[in-house]
Amino acid sequence: MLTGCCLNILAHMIQDNMKRQLILLLFLVSMAAAAVLPGLAVHMPHKPEASAADLTPVLTSTSQIIDAVIALPDGRLVLEAPSWVGNPSPQLSVGKPGASSPPTPYPDAEWNDNNGDISHHFVSITGITLTKDGKLWVADSGVPDREKPPTAPARLICIDTATSQVTRIIPVPPAELHPGSILGGIAVHDQTAYVTDSGVAGLLAVDLQTGETRRALDRVSALTAGRPINAAAGIVRAPNGHPLAIDASLIAVSPDGKWLYVQPYCGPLFHVATSLFSDPGTTNAALQESATRWYKTNALGGLTVGPDGTLYWADVTTGSIDSYTEGRIPHHLITDTRLHWPGGLSLSGQTLYIPASQLDQAARFHNGHSAVRWPVTIYRLKVPEDATSNVLHK
């Protein structure tokens, strides 16, 4: 028979074992919660994985604020210089990294001529994206001045990069827009284009075969700017002096087409299941509830996604480039003072191309006087090997 002392010892051993099991259970639950709950996402590391030497200039402009770049498979770079910040033509151009000759209008000079037939020239480009089949899709808002009404209908324009020819123009139905609507970024998967409304928060899903368009997430908080844009130089102010706040602008789609990543300029980043758009039975309420905060980002100037599902974003508040794996592990790639308002970045293989656009230094934000320090530079950054790892390296 066990003595009273032995029984006490045994009881303590059982209690200690139960405590250990409970602690282990709580730890596993907390780790699982961190993997699915946006509020418990892992914080961005402070130490960058790349150094200043890894960031090298490849192309410059002495006259345009280039706010987005697309790397073509043949090595050329398509550059976006939006008219709404006061850029001269061309709005789209193409150049070769390191080339001595300047970029040329893309797809040609006529499309970048501000005069003539509206069906053959850009009015106000707000977003570009490249699909796997080599098609460059362009969002044209028709709003060259955000403080004024549109001067042309909103539309999507497709350029075949193999031939440099415009092959399709898809009008955006006016019924899917509101007074004050301004197309923002664009993402394409298969035969669906997803376009943000940066003027009146919302998201458009456009069937690229039929042109049928569905508006969703209308004025939801996830797509609405809840604070002004905070750049490295401070709060950006509109021409009227008020702090600038722009609704849903940045968008990317996962490689399998199942998820959209979207945010207003100011952040944070949300994700939405695309299946809800293709299901005719999905209610507006279900769509609104589907937007989940994915990461507490700062103001961003660009967002792209790699073939493995890793997100890359350009942080204009800190002048940084960061990545976020499908396993929800953040990687701080680089912070550099040269990255003044890093814009729409593009991934080619293991190389990121990043425009340091200085967009907040445009004349419209400084009482009509440009504060840009020319030239505006496109940089190249080789992605560190660990940047797609689901293991956090401190």
Side-chain angles (χ1 to χ4, degrees), residues 27-50:
F27 173 75
L28 293 175
V29 169
S30 65
M31 291 298 292
V36 297
L37 294 178
L40 296 178
V42 180
H43 291 296
M44 186 65 66
H46 292 292
K47 184 179 179 181
E49 298 178 21

Side-chain angles (χ1 to χ4, degrees), residues 30-205:
S30 65
M31 291 298 292
V36 297
L37 294 178
L40 296 178
V42 180
H43 291 296
M44 186 65 66
H46 292 292
K47 184 179 179 181
E49 298 178 21
S51 66
D54 298 317
L55 189 69
T56 57
V58 295
L59 194 150
T60 61
S61 173
T62 57
S63 61
Q64 290 188 312
I65 294 173
I66 300 168
D67 79 334
V69 60
I70 292 289
L72 299 180
D74 62 9
R76 294 178 299 163
L77 299 179
V78 176
L79 313 173
E80 175 186 297
S83 62
W84 74 273
V85 294
N87 274 315
S89 294
Q91 292 190 59
L92 272 190
S93 60
V94 64
K96 194 84 171 179
S100 57
S101 57
T104 57
Y106 191 76
D108 55 39
E110 182 181 4
W111 269 97
N112 287 277
D113 187 346
N114 292 331
N115 302 309
D117 186 353
I118 191 67
S119 64
H120 289 88
H121 78 261
F122 303 124
V123 177
S124 183
I125 294 176
T126 55
I128 53 178
T129 190
L130 184 70
T131 57
K132 292 180 180 179
D133 59 359
K135 302 297 190 296
L136 183 76
W137 283 94
V138 179
D140 187 335
S141 70
V143 185
D145 189 329
R146 294 187 68 91
E147 276 71 45
K148 296 180 180 179
T151 62
R155 55 195 172 150
L156 306 184
I157 301 167
C158 180
I159 303 171
D160 185 341
T161 60
T163 62
S164 297
Q165 296 291 319
V166 172
T167 57
R168 292 197 64 191
I169 300 175
I170 301 177
V172 175
E176 302 302 329
L177 302 173
H178 297 298
S181 284
I182 304 173
L183 298 189
I186 179 172
V188 175
H189 185 267
D190 287 341
Q191 292 302 313
T192 304
Y194 302 95
V195 187
T196 59
D197 186 338
S198 68
V200 181
L203 187 62
L204 305 175

Side-chain angles (χ1 to χ4, degrees), residues 65 85-86 239 358-372:
I65 294 173
V85 294
Q358 302 184 58
L359 187 143
D360 62 321
Q361 301 302 299
R364 72 179 291 113
F365 306 127
H366 293 273
N367 298 316
H369 302 285
S370 173
V372 174

Side-chain angles (χ1 to χ4, degrees), residues 6 75 141 151 179 181 228 302 305 316 337:
C6 291
S141 70
T151 62
S181 284
V305 61
V316 306
T337 56

